[in-house]
Amino acid sequence: MPRKPDRLKYGADDVPAKRDLLVLGVQHFCLALVFAIYPAAIAQQAGMSTREKAGLLTATIIATAITTFLHHFKPPLGNGNLTIQTPTPIAVPAMMQAMGLGGLSLLSGMTFVFGATELAVSRIIKYLRAYFPPEVSGVVVMMLGVSLAESAVRNFTGATMASGVVTGVNLDYIIVASLTLITIIACAVFGRGFIKLFSLGFGLAVGLIASKLVGAFATADIQNMNASPWLGVPSLNLGLPTFNLALIPLVMIMAVIQCVDTLGSFISIQRINDDDWKKLDTAQASSGIQVNGIGNMISGLLGGIPGGISSAHIGLVMASGAAARRVGAVTGILLIFSIFTPKLVAGLSSIPQPVIGALLAYTAAFMMVAGMELILSRLLSERRIFTIGLSILIGLSTVILPGVYSRLPVLLANICESTLAITAVSAIVLNMIFRIGISQRATLQASPSGHHYETIAPFMESLGKTWGMRRDIAERASTACAELFEALVSHGVPEDSLALTVEFDEVDLVMSVVYPGKPISLPTSRPTLHELLSGPDAQVQLGAYVVRKYVDKLSQVSTGDTNRLTLRLEH
Amino acid sequence: MAAQMSELRVYAPVGRLDSQTAAGHEEAILALINPSSKGLVLDMAGVSHLSTAGIRVLLMVSRACQDAGIGLMLHSLTPATLEVIRITGLDEHLNIRLDAS
């Protein structure tokens, strides 16, 4: 049972007052609209007509609205938390590529593939994590930022190109884009509370005003916005989706990266909801990823782009102190209503080029740093350093020497010529290669001096570096094992007969201790204060109880005079 | 490791507080408990590792302070030290002050 933190006014299952529900729903709705920037950027890059742009936005909003609404139900229908679905930047480069290769029908098909991949891996994502450890995901996320850079700079400067060479830039665009970016940065760096949270929204507002002043709005978009009614039936770009074999691997990899990212979002939201949070509730996460997959398949069928759980909204949950899942239902309903306001959709699809440039520049910078953070979240060994360095180098080779892979067979060349695809494939393959030959099993003899923590902690840290363990898992393992050794010694087990065996497979860290004599009891409840003060036996019980609290699974098998204790930590 | 500040007695354990060191610390702290003093403060900033054996010492000291009619306060606990106490659920029985002031 989660322990609701004091800072939360409304926990996940609380029912807020009607007024609060509406106000919170409107806040999440407004923040969600800002993310229309991603479909708008894809539309801008592809040079879509105003009608096509509106169709793309409408489809994406419908899908995110349905998904957001579904998320508020408890598993298996939803995930039972306040999580808001928004268009995901992770899919933007692949979707831009899809638009370039096959237009709207291919974009629809690739969004469908993205969703289908999420649905397929939703139940096995835990096991796929071995192939997508943080350094692999981090490299891909960093290169996502690099992939967005070209589009960001081109829109930011309004650069015109001829034969791959810049022939001119638009000074008005640079001024508008700079004002937009400065506003976002100022709000994000110097702002507090809602100003910080809505930094993208404030930047967007300043960018729109500046665009109006310098005339950066496209005339056709203005005419479309003026002609659009306040209320009306939404239009969609319905058509049969098409598929491109060369693009499918990239889209599938991005979908898995999105799933891994979603696991991170669930860790954040579950931590917000539970002061006693210890490990990821995989039922919630799997169900959430499943709903995301279904939502993105719907988005594909309607002609939209993929979405994902928004970390900005998780920030809003934290700042507002309201994590009630019913707020998600209200947000979903508001998003659905919004598509019946063609003027709003036309307004969102008319975001001018320099404003898109500034928002993409912000996103690109943010993703590059987020990728670096992910890379550094694990203890690094030489093998992992090479995995990271070489895959970035291989990815950058397409930027440094465009066309370097053009002589490969067509299907392979298409993958290799994409900075993102070749980086992702290189990181995955190098990770698998560098795992070869690493012993995933190690043993430590107990210290005869009795200084168990001082022996076990450096041993675990060293293994953590070699195996790429999460820092917090290595620390929890050290504390649990030291506590177990103390409890066993107090139980009467000779120190020289104690040895710890550790095994790691990216999914689980398994520690086992074999010891002779009478088996130690493993209580599920803590000894009382009175028992603890009465005698040393209760301290052994307390030690075993703490070990149980530190690990995800604790079991003991006794055969004759020998006992085997197994401690399992999910990674 | 021990100091007297006006009527408050302060004890600052350093290093590990586990089964190897528990008995020594327990003896030293119990010797400081005096019904005529205002109270006892344990400055935990220097504790690098706290095991359940150490927690039991804290409980024994807390009981002894109660018996002597004086207050006990633990302060400057590191996040790791605080976590292990919270995991046992025994933080309710110990007067823990989170800031160092």
Side-chain angles (χ1 to χ4, degrees), chain A residues 1-304:
Chain A
M1 186 74 185
R3 186 159 66 96
K4 190 175 112 181
D6 294 338
R7 63 181 178 276
L8 274 193
K9 188 178 176 192
Y10 297 118
D13 291 331
D14 291 344
V15 184
K18 278 180 188 162
R19 185 179 159 276
D20 286 0
L21 202 57
L22 190 64
V23 170
L24 291 162
V26 169
Q27 280 177 1
H28 281 280
F29 166 74
C30 291
L31 186 57
L33 286 184
V34 176
F35 291 88
I37 182 69
Y38 297 126
I42 293 166
Q44 175 71 47
Q45 177 91 354
M48 283 185 194
S49 69
T50 49
R51 190 183 163 77
E52 286 172 334
K53 276 190 206 174
L56 179 72
L57 252 84
T58 304
T60 307
I61 293 173
I62 293 174
T64 52
I66 293 171
T67 317
T68 298
F69 187 78
L70 286 176
H71 274 313
H72 102 278
F73 291 111
K74 287 199 164 185
L77 199 54
N79 72 66
N81 289 291
L82 171 50
T83 48
I84 309 294
Q85 186 89 344
T86 59
T88 172
I90 288 176
V92 171
M95 293 302 132
M96 282 179 171
Q97 220 173 322
M99 274 305 297
L101 288 171
L104 277 166
S105 60
L106 184 58
L107 179 124
S108 299
M110 290 301 104
T111 300
F112 188 85
V113 169
F114 193 99
T117 308
E118 286 181 298
L119 188 61
V121 304
S122 60
R123 297 285 155 192
I124 54 163
I125 185 65
K126 196 177 139 185
Y127 303 101
L128 279 182
R129 279 165 66 194
Y131 301 97
F132 292 84
E135 66 269 24
V136 171
S137 307
V139 164
V140 178
V141 171
M142 198 189 97
M143 291 309 268
L144 270 165
V146 174
S147 304
L148 286 176
E150 193 228 331
S151 180
V153 175
R154 193 183 287 202
N155 285 303
F156 196 107
T157 57
T160 47
M161 312 271 286
S163 310
V165 179
V166 175
T167 53
V169 292
N170 187 322
L171 195 58
D172 286 345
Y173 277 25
I174 294 174
I175 292 170
V176 171
S178 302
L179 281 172
T180 309
L181 193 57
I182 288 168
T183 308
I184 296 171
I185 294 169
C187 292
V189 175
F190 303 111
R192 283 187 180 180
F194 288 93
I195 292 181
K196 190 181 178 79
L197 272 169
F198 281 85
S199 54
L200 275 179
F202 284 113
L204 181 61
V206 169
L208 293 178
I209 294 166
S211 297
K212 178 83 178 160
L213 292 175
V214 303
F217 277 98
T219 316
D221 286 340
I222 293 283
Q223 285 168 351
N224 180 46
M225 196 160 51
N226 290 336
S228 299
W230 281 103
L231 284 175
V233 179
S235 67
L236 289 165
N237 305 315
L238 291 175
L240 276 180
T242 55
F243 302 91
N244 181 316
L245 270 182
L247 205 51
I248 286 176
L250 173 65
V251 172
M252 288 176 74
I253 291 171
M254 290 306 118
V256 177
I257 296 288
Q258 178 66 52
C259 294
V260 175
D261 182 68
T262 305
L263 291 180
S265 297
F266 274 103
I267 289 173
S268 304
I269 195 74
Q270 287 171 8
R271 273 187 165 156
I272 289 173
N273 272 304
D274 184 6
D275 253 356
D276 287 340
W277 187 90
K278 217 174 65 175
K279 61 168 183 165
L280 177 71
D281 179 338
T282 45
Q284 279 188 356
S286 294
S287 191
I289 293 171
Q290 191 174 302
V291 173
N292 281 355
I294 294 167
N296 286 332
M297 287 164 78
I298 293 172
S299 186
L301 294 174
L302 296 175

Side-chain angles (χ1 to χ4, degrees), chain A residues 451 454 483 486 526 532, chain B residues 16 18 20 51-52 56 88:
Chain A
H451 298 159
E454 285 179 1
E483 199 61 63
E486 277 203 9
R526 196 200 70 204
L532 281 167
Chain B
R16 291 171 290 110
D18 59 10
Q20 293 288 302
S51 77
T52 47
R56 186 166 175 270
T88 60

